[in-house]
DNA sequence: TTGTATGCGTTATCAC
DNA sequence: GTGATAACGCATACAA
């Protein structure tokens, strides 16, 4: 198994040229005669040569690898983001390696340090929580860093995010327009800045209409299981809501389970709105009305920013906010007469 | 942003020692006086030093990084595997970077080549399809490689897998024991060797009892959406099945949607069995009877194999098969009288 | 206990 | 068109 790797020196020897010539040939730099080029290429192929990225990186070259750091890969939201980033990067010839932090600050730091030191050309950080100290160290990164969906602590790092506030607001207004007045809410994880934005929008929108009932706010944590429990709690309310807004699609799936479990129909008896528009939202039945982040656009923008920074451009303080949009599907309907 | 990185030379200068002393201190190798050690550590901290993994790797050292290659991150199955691997690796001080191939063979090769050449200490490959040529090149890898859930083409590479065949068999026998005789099946993706194993077990088990009806086999592709459609097809059958075995949990979720959509109850009207035991299987309602791979065990074993190979041990031809086990939950019940 | 010298594989620079 | 040389940052063998 342990097999000495083939280096350009080996290729050079076989082709009867110098290492430099091999390097130039392989990288299409410098002037190489057609004949030599072919000889080198053949030798490289025969030997099964592959570049050593560690060496290239050390020399100051690119690895064509982007590191993406996410808290975990259980929530469909993070896997959707990871997928979108991988696709966007792929289009410009870059790879994405996804690293999970398990929300462990120490590991987070180590992982990022590792990626920064030669392994990756750039970093995409999906920051769920508001960890200022962490961001400060990132600002000194020697490779480009872009934050995705970060809210909260001020930072000079380029950031791409979705407008959670107005998206959530649109969701609540949609329910209001359907005649709902008792609207329940299942929150996201407390430490998530995105969840905070969504809750704030919920309170603001209902509060402005004098319809805010704090007892209709149940605590969630972005998981389906917790959504199920929170849904049950809301249904057990003395005066249950006629519509429930869940802070994430996964949560909404749990709420839907709870409602079906109770023998109630969606949206006839009760409406449900999610947030994220993950893939499954359009696949379940009834299909879920939800708030869509333009995840594809956000990630291709993030990748673009990285590329521009690699080309020397500065994106200090760049903040690109994408509008969220409400996607109305089958899970919402008029309040029961 | 572009900031010259701090090297051991900088630390050495500040601490007033040589580079070697710094290296030894940081790696706890060699004998260093307590006083010097503290001075070096302080200097390193003050400068914000982090090792350059590219340099360390080039020098022959470890990066403490494992590369995991999966086809995609949409299926909960792959994200569960990724999570289990990350946790197992974390316990032994390793990181896992997850790379998706989008089932593109060329990119697959490139990605693996990159990881092999200095970036990763070992490779965990989740091979969905039977790509022999691909495996051959992996056998020549200079870093340890472990295959996860690979079936099909012969290979000398160490492999950790779950016994899909007997797991699927147990699922069918469970349905038989509940009195079901018309049992439908929704296949997985055609190219998946795991899916092939499951289908084979289904056919064998029913065939042996003379209960195999090919018209009750619907084609799926491991997605919920396709599961929904396949479920509808089976329900539209002139003589519909009283139980449906889906080749994956995601597929089963789709089947469940189709059944509920039809106004039928689970398991009263029809039983459903999945395969994978992803997290959501125990979270939906009704909770899903399914076949469980010991994903945690499999991945910690895979990581252990990598570690042993890093220590010089050979695992050529090692094949560790874990039993799958049926997890009976609420989605299956006796055939309706 | 500490330091000097060397090389890992690559590529940019410059000379031929 | 091609090649010799140096340098990236680190860790090892060896010397002091």
């Amino acid at each position: 198994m342990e097999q000495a790797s083939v280096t350009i020196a080996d290729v050079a020897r076989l082709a009867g040229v110098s290492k430099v010539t091999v390097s130039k040939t392989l990288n299409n730099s410098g002037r190489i005669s057609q004949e030599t080029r072919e000889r080198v290429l053949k030798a490289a192929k025969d030997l099964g040569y592959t570049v050593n990225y560690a060496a290239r990186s050390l020399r100051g070259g690119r690895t064509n690898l982007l590191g993406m750091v996410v808290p975990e890969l259980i929530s469909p939201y993070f896997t959707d983001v990871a997928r979108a980033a991988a696709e966007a990067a792929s289009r410009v010839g870059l790879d994405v390696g996804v690293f999970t932090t398990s929300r462990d600050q120490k590991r987070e730091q180590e992982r990022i340090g590792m990626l920064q030191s030669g392994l990756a050309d750039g970093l995409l950080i999906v920051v769920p929580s508001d960890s200022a100290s962490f961001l400060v160290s990132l600002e000194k990164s020697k490779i480009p860093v872009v934050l995705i969906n970060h809210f909260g602590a001020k930072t000079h790092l380029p950031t791409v995010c979705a407008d959670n506030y107005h998206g959530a607001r649109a969701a609540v207004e949609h329910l209001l327009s359907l005649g709902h007045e008792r609207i329940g809410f299942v929150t996201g994880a407390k430490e998530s800045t995105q969840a905070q934005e969504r809750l704030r929008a919920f309170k603001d929108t209902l509060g402005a209409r004098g319809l805010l009932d704090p007892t209709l706010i149940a605590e969630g944590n972005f998981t389906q299981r917790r959504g199920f429990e929170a849904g049950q709690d809301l249904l057990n309310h003395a005066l249950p809501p006629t519509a429930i807004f869940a802070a994430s699609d996964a949560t909404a799936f749990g709420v839907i389970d709870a409602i079906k479990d109770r023998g109630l129909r969606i949206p006839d008896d009760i409406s449900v709105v999610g947030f994220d528009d993950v893939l499954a939202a359009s696949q379940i039945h009834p299909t879920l009305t939800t708030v869509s982040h333009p995840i594809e656009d956000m990630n291709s923008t993030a990748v673009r920013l990285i590329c521009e920074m690699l080309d020397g451009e500065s994106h200090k303080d760049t903040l690109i906010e994408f509008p969220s949009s409400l996607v109305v599907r089958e899970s919402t309907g008029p309040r029961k007469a």
Side-chain angles (χ1 to χ4, degrees), chain A:
Chain A
M1 175 124 308
E2 288 284 340
Q3 137 159 351
S5 50
V6 180
T7 75
I8 47 172
D10 301 317
V11 177
R13 204 173 307 120
L14 181 60
V17 295
S18 77
K19 295 195 300 178
V20 180
T21 305
V22 175
S23 174
K24 281 180 179 164
T25 304
L26 265 26
N27 294 295
N28 289 316
S29 63
R31 279 147 294 275
I32 302 291
S33 75
Q34 186 58 27
E35 188 219 356
T36 318
R37 141 168 270 98
E38 281 167 8
R39 201 146 34 91
V40 169
L41 257 29
K42 179 171 187 331
K45 185 163 189 189
D46 289 352
L47 261 32
Y49 170 82
T50 52
V51 288
N52 182 314
Y53 281 84
R56 172 180 285 178
S57 165
L58 185 56
R59 188 61 188 72
R62 302 273 170 84
T63 60
N64 294 322
L65 173 64
L66 259 36
M68 168 164 254
V69 181
V70 298
E72 35 93 352
L73 283 177
I74 304 173
S75 311
Y77 167 68
F78 291 118
T79 61
D80 275 9
V81 171
R83 185 177 45 77
E87 280 170 9
S90 171
R91 281 194 291 275
V92 293
L94 296 171
D95 276 342
V96 173
V98 181
F99 295 78
T100 54
T101 64
S102 312
R103 299 199 158 82
D104 176 334
Q105 295 251 352
K106 183 151 168 293
R107 289 197 78 74
E108 206 165 44
Q109 290 284 11
E110 288 172 2
R111 237 158 276 226
I112 288 173
M114 174 183 72
L115 290 167
Q116 285 175 327
S117 72
L119 262 38
D121 288 348
L123 248 35
L124 299 168
I125 315 271
V126 186
V127 208
S129 56
D130 188 352
S131 38
S133 65
F134 166 66
L135 293 176
V136 169
S137 73
L138 272 174
E139 291 193 9
K140 293 188 285 190
S141 172
K142 60 185 169 185
I143 61 173
V145 177
V146 171
L147 265 31
I148 295 178
N149 266 341
H150 167 73
F151 305 84
K154 301 291 167 289
T155 171
H156 297 296
L157 290 166
T159 303
V160 173
C161 61
D163 179 352
N164 282 254
Y165 185 85
H166 289 96
R169 185 158 199 130
V172 178
E173 279 163 358
H174 167 64
L175 292 173
L176 288 168
S177 76
L178 288 169
H180 296 280
E181 297 193 331
R182 290 193 65 70
I183 302 177
F185 186 73
V186 183
T187 70
K190 263 200 298 289
E191 65 278 11
S192 158
T193 50
Q194 293 201 74
Q196 289 155 18
E197 287 286 291
R198 296 170 196 178
L199 176 58
R200 192 164 66 83
F202 176 80
K203 286 181 173 170
D204 286 358
T205 315
L206 286 190
R209 296 238 194 353
L211 293 173
L212 182 59
D213 178 352
T215 65
L216 287 183
I217 297 180
E219 194 170 318
N221 62 358
F222 283 146
T223 68
Q224 181 162 349
R225 170 177 295 279
R226 199 52 213 113
F228 178 72
E229 295 162 356
Q232 286 185 318
D233 290 349
L234 289 175
L235 294 174
N236 286 336
H237 194 282
L239 217 60
T242 63
I244 296 178
F245 180 21
S248 77
D249 285 353
T251 305
F253 297 156
V255 169
I256 288 174
D257 282 338
I259 294 170
K260 287 183 175 170
D261 213 45
R262 196 64 57 112
L264 298 173
R265 288 160 310 156
I266 303 168
D268 309 315
D269 296 316
I270 186 164
S271 290
V272 178
V273 180
F275 204 116
D276 283 342
D277 196 21
V278 299
L279 225 74
S282 56
Q283 303 193 343
I284 63 155
H285 291 265
T287 55
L288 185 67
T289 295
T290 186
V291 181
S292 171
H293 313 231
I295 288 192
E296 269 75 25
D297 290 349
M298 288 173 62
N299 280 279
S300 39
T301 299
V303 170
R304 181 173 56 75
L305 290 182
I306 295 273
C307 291
E308 290 174 359
M309 290 160 84
L310 284 171
D311 291 342
E313 208 166 314
S314 165
H315 274 298
K316 189 159 180 275
D317 288 317
T318 293
L319 170 63
I320 302 184
E321 193 174 57
F322 285 85
S324 296
S325 55
L326 184 70
V327 182
V328 178
R329 297 205 182 91
E330 303 164 353
S331 66
T332 47
R335 181 174 60 151
K336 194 159 56 168

